[in-house]
Amino acid sequence: MSSLSKSDIEDIREVFELFDFWDGRDGEVDAFKVGHMCFCLGLNPTQETIAKNGGTNKLGEKAYKLEEFLPIYEEISKDKDTGSFAEFNEAFKTFDREGQGFMSSAELRHVLTSLGEKMSDAQVDELFLVTDTREDLEGNIQYSDFIEKVLKGPEN
């Protein structure tokens, strides 16, 4: 028995149909796009979670019909949130040498490209752009603003 509401299913159907439209309108969406659909639906799964739940690393390996994607979405949506503002803020304090709420943007870039789910330099550039992250004259950023903007997600 599904725990998804009618409203959830309609939202999922809308996103699925949009991806199906760009995939050729055959009633299926490539499994490579499972994560993309989840992101559009407000989830933030890790690459590991996406792969564990049927996502693939290459286009053309597998495809899902809406009825097959619904349980995948439901399973991914059960995952706990990956962090709160307070948790991220506490982690960033490690890099705040003076305790003033700032860290080096170069150090932030290094952390994002080399720890955890590594990002590419291009992804970090895009993240800085969409969060309007700007350095002060000393090359530092106010990390609490950065965290808030990242957790808020993209503005539509």
Side-chain angles (χ1 to χ4, degrees):
M1 181 73 189
S2 174
S3 65
L4 298 172
S5 69
K6 285 184 180 183
S7 174
D8 289 339
I9 293 172
E10 283 307 309
D11 290 345
I12 295 165
R13 180 184 312 278
E14 191 176 313
V15 169
F16 187 90
E17 287 175 354
L18 179 65
F19 276 83
D20 181 37
F21 174 81
W22 294 109
D23 250 7
R25 287 191 167 179
D26 59 359
E28 294 184 335
V29 174
D30 198 288
F32 177 75
K33 297 181 180 174
V34 165
H36 298 104
M37 289 190 291
C38 288
F39 296 140
C40 288
L41 290 160
L43 301 179
N44 192 21
T46 63
Q47 294 301 317
E48 181 182 343
T49 301
I50 293 166
K52 183 176 79 177
N53 288 287
T56 60
N57 291 326
K58 295 179 187 168
L59 284 167
E61 291 180 13
K62 184 191 248 183
Y64 293 113
K65 295 185 181 312
L66 175 62
E67 298 76 26
E68 297 168 317
F69 177 69
L70 288 172
I72 292 170
Y73 171 85
E74 189 172 11
E75 191 62 34
I76 291 174
S77 68
K78 289 178 185 175
D79 274 3
K80 297 275 187 250
D81 192 10
T82 55
S84 67
F85 174 84
E87 292 168 329
F88 288 117
N89 199 50
E90 196 61 33
F92 279 90
K93 282 182 183 178
T94 305
F95 304 99
D96 184 359
R97 289 180 179 83
E98 297 176 15
Q100 300 293 316
F102 289 88
M103 75 179 284
S104 159
S105 65
E107 199 162 33
L108 176 59
R109 176 178 293 278
H110 175 73
V111 167
L112 294 173
T113 58
S114 58
L115 299 177
E117 240 182 276
K118 297 170 183 68
M119 298 175 77
S120 68
D121 280 323
Q123 288 172 318
V124 174
D125 290 341
E126 183 178 353
L127 181 61
F128 283 0
L129 182 67
V130 298
T131 58
D132 194 30
T133 300
R134 298 172 192 219
E135 299 177 354
D136 64 11
L137 295 175
E138 296 173 358
N140 296 318
I141 60 137
Q142 189 168 12
Y143 57 82
S144 62
D145 289 345
F146 176 75
I147 296 166
E148 282 180 19
K149 291 174 184 176
V150 169
L151 291 177
K152 183 178 176 187
E155 293 183 12
N156 295 328

